[in-house]
Structures are given as structure tokens and as C-alpha cells.
Amino acid sequence: MSIYSRILGTGSYLPPETVTNDDLAARLALDGIETSDAWIVERTGIRERHFAAAGVGSVDLGEHAARRAIDAAGLSPQDVDLIVVATSTPDMIFPSNAALIQARLGCPGGAVFDVQAVCAGFIYALSVADQFVRSGMARNALVIGTEVFSQILDFSDRGTCVLFGDGAGAVVLGPSDTPGVVASALHGDGRQAGILRTPGRVCGGKVTGHPFLEMDGQAVFKQAVHVLENVAREVLGKAGRSGDEVDWMVPHQANIRIMLHTAKKLGIPPERVVQTVAWHGNTSAASIPLALDTAVRAGQIRRGQTLLLEAVGGGLTWGAALVDY
Ligand code: UT7
């Protein structure tokens, strides 16, 4: 009997429009706001990001990524009996992105739902789907991270609008006799909700509150370096492994300084850290599956290797997973 889940295939999708730091600086300059490629690269490692065209939503991006992951798994949409979507930028208040993507793909009537844990969303969704497959509640689970953060950015706030981009990534998990997802750990601290949030909501037919992303960057930075190291050590401990046994760290791509600092603390050298932040920016819940699929398709990540995934995001929420790929 299968008691584990493993990754059968990965996929990702980026909308075609690329926005470089210089493009963004020119756009902000029109409103008298100063930023520069040098500042953005030095503080974050970001060089460019992709923005979805008007009218394109996270369901569109997620559908593309999902189709690629299902193909890579050698399955068809009929084989998928669970869809978990991690997103903070869904197409609708309801139904969920998972339901909308299920209809587009033509998957049969298994469970479909979204998980909202912002940038830690993919780790949450992966862990939830892992429990479903391990328990036999589902056989083949599609786990998607998809975001259009460009649609909630305040372009008058240079402290946040230069950081984020759009994209989607997906994996298919299936049952296995040997571990795949070896261990995962999830955490949250709602007392810190105020340091990273999009507080607007729809009420009585109107948007009330500020419907744009707000962040106290320094406060998040301080928390991030602390909780990421701890949660990474927690999953390594659960799995009985050390940093030396990690072939690839696949971190949430928010800031190169945070990523490399955490890796160093764990004894993982920079050349074993998958780094896509320069080209994708921070794509929130999409960033880990996007980075994972990019490294798989580039031939960097290979079957049999051990991966450490970790992320922190609004909530605060954070988590990590150790995966034998
Ligand atoms: O995905 C969820 C998790 N999120 C994160 O992990 C983000 C964590 N935080 C960060 O990555 C960093 O805090 C930032 C990249 C957001 C900011 O970097 P920082 O080194 O913490 O810069 P800062 O906020 O302390 O700002 C330093 C200076 C300030 O000017 P003064 O007060 O020193 O004159 C800012 O006004 O840089 C200024 N600044 C900018 N200058 C040019 C802020 N944004 C910009 C900008 N261009 N885009």
C-alpha cells in the first residue's frame, strides 16, 4: 500500500510581457517617484518581472501551468481527483480558482479548493495535498500556485511596487511506496497580520479599505530570516537529514539576500540554491513551483535529488518541505 506522495511532474507559465527595472523606473518617474535598477538589484536581486495583460487573471496563468505539469507527469486531466490552488489574487471571491481551473481542464468531480497563505501558500497547499494522497483520500493531486500581484500593486509606493511579478507554477503529486514529500512543517502568527497585507474588501457592492498591497519591508525581513532558518531546521530534523544532504534549496523568491542568508545558516552553498528572483521577481505563492519547474526543465534538478522548499508570507505564515524528487 502506498503511504507517501511524490512529485510526478512539474509545470509553469509566465505571461509574455517582461518589465525591466528600467521600464519600471521610467513608469514611476512619470509620477515624480524615483527608483533605479541599481537600487532594486542591490536590495533585492530583482532585474525584471512579468506582468499579465489587462483582463488576464490567475486562473488563466494557473491553467497553463497545470496543463504542463499534467503532461510532464504523463497523465491526463481525467486522472486528477484533487486540485488545491494557492493564491491571494483569485479571479473571483467565489467560486475558487481550483473550481474554475477544474472546469477548464475537464477534470472529474474530486475535491477542489483554494488555500490562502500568501507567499507561503504553495508550501501549505503541497502539505495539504500530501496528506490527502497519503491518506488515500485522493490519488493524483494537482497543486498550483498562481498570482497576478501586478493587479494589487500601488504604483505610488516604490517600497513595494518594484518587488512583485505575475506567474504560475504547478506540480502533480501521486501515490508512492517511497517518500516523495518526506516531511513538511507549517506555522502562522496572526498577531503580525499588519506588517504585510492587502486590507481592502468588497462590501455592499463597493471596495472598502485599501485594496493594494502594503508592507513594512524591514519588519518582514527581520521575521523572514528568523522563521525561515527555524522551519528549515524543523523539517530537516523531522526527516532526520542535515543541510549537507540537500541537493537543492528551492526557496520562496522574495529577496536574494534573505535566500542566501538562510542557505548559509544551513550550510548550503549559493550554487545549490535555485535562484529565479532576478527574472521573475516575487510571484508570491507561484514563486516556489515556478523556480522548481525552471530548474527541472533546465536539467539542474534531477530525479533522486533532495530538495528543501521554504517560504514566508503575509499572515504571517511560513513553512518548509523536504522532498525527495
Ligand atoms: O514575499 C513576502 C516576504 N517579503 C519579503 O521577504 C520582503 C522583505 N523585505 C525586503 O526584502 C526589504 O526590506 C526591501 C527590499 C523591501 C527593502 O529593502 P531595505 O534594505 O529594507 O530598504 P529600506 O526599506 O530600509 O529602505 C532604505 C531606503 C529608504 O530611504 P531612506 O529612508 O534611507 O532615505 C527608502 O525610502 O531606500 C528607499 N527606497 C527606495 N529607493 C529607491 C525604498 N524603496 C526604494 C526604491 N527605490 N524602490
Side-chain angles (χ1 to χ4, degrees):
M1 196 186 116
S2 308
I3 54 160
Y4 298 107
S5 80
R6 64 183 284 266
I7 295 177
L8 303 180
T10 67
S12 63
Y13 180 78
L14 289 160
E17 188 196 352
T18 305
V19 180
T20 66
N21 290 344
D22 284 336
D23 294 338
L24 212 46
R27 174 173 174 175
L28 298 195
L30 297 175
D31 296 317
I33 299 166
E34 222 183 292
T35 189
S36 66
D37 177 58
W39 189 95
I40 302 169
V41 172
E42 187 199 320
R43 303 288 175 130
T44 70
I46 298 167
R47 293 178 184 277
E48 60 183 44
R49 72 288 291 140
H50 291 247
F51 282 174
V56 171
S58 56
V59 166
D60 297 314
L61 307 188
E63 179 192 354
H64 286 298
R67 287 191 187 282
R68 289 175 181 175
I70 293 169
D71 273 357
L75 299 176
S76 83
Q78 277 64 43
D79 300 314
V80 171
D81 58 354
L82 169 67
I83 303 178
V84 187
V85 177
T87 188
S88 301
T89 47
D91 274 21
M92 301 182 187
I93 291 176
F94 67 82
S96 66
N97 267 15
L100 298 172
I101 291 173
Q102 181 196 38
R104 296 244 189 128
L105 297 176
C107 303
V112 285
F113 57 92
D114 289 2
V115 163
Q116 218 278 40
V118 203
C119 300
F122 183 77
I123 302 280
Y124 269 65
L126 185 77
S127 178
V128 168
D130 173 52
Q131 317 297 323
F132 269 71
V133 175
R134 289 169 72 143
S135 69
M137 275 281 283
R139 184 168 175 82
N140 295 309
L142 180 58
V143 186
I144 305 169
T146 183
E147 302 282 15
V148 283
F149 262 51
S150 65
Q151 296 172 6
I152 56 164
L153 293 177
D154 175 356
F155 285 94
S156 68
D157 176 10
R158 67 178 181 172
T160 55
C161 73
V162 303
L163 305 175
F164 295 90
D166 302 339
V171 304
V172 177
L173 287 185
S176 168
D177 296 333
T178 52
V181 179
V182 182
S184 58
L186 306 176
H187 294 283
D189 180 0
R191 293 170 303 178
Q192 302 190 66
I195 63 174
L196 177 49
R197 61 182 188 168
T198 301
R201 67 188 173 111
V202 173
C203 182
K206 294 194 180 102
V207 176
T208 62
H210 190 236
F212 295 108
L213 185 149
E214 303 170 350
M215 178 169 72
D216 177 343
Q218 285 194 3
V220 175
F221 194 103
K222 273 189 209 136
Q223 287 299 319
V225 291
H226 175 65
V227 301
L228 289 174
E229 181 188 346
N230 285 348
V231 77
R233 289 195 193 284
E234 183 182 348
V235 283
L236 286 168
K238 277 189 182 184
R241 312 265 182 101
S242 71
D244 292 347
E245 293 168 272
V246 172
D247 294 295
W248 289 101
M249 184 166 140
V250 190
H252 169 48
Q253 310 280 319
N255 185 319
I256 194 76
R257 292 187 288 148
I258 298 174
M259 290 157 55
L260 296 182
H261 172 88
T262 308
K264 192 172 175 187
K265 290 277 185 182
L266 300 169
I268 300 171
E271 57 275 16
R272 287 201 270 126
V273 179
V274 175
Q275 302 173 34
T276 53
V277 65
W279 315 112
H280 300 168
N282 180 346
T283 58
S284 192
S287 97
I288 289 180
L290 250 169
L292 175 63
D293 184 56
T294 302
V296 166
R297 285 174 197 260
Q300 289 179 295
I301 292 179
R302 295 190 304 276
R303 286 289 174 195
Q305 292 188 322
T306 296
L307 317 178
L308 174 63
L309 321 182
E310 44 89 330
V312 59
L316 279 187
T317 52
W318 63 97
L322 194 85
V323 174
D324 282 342
Y325 180 71

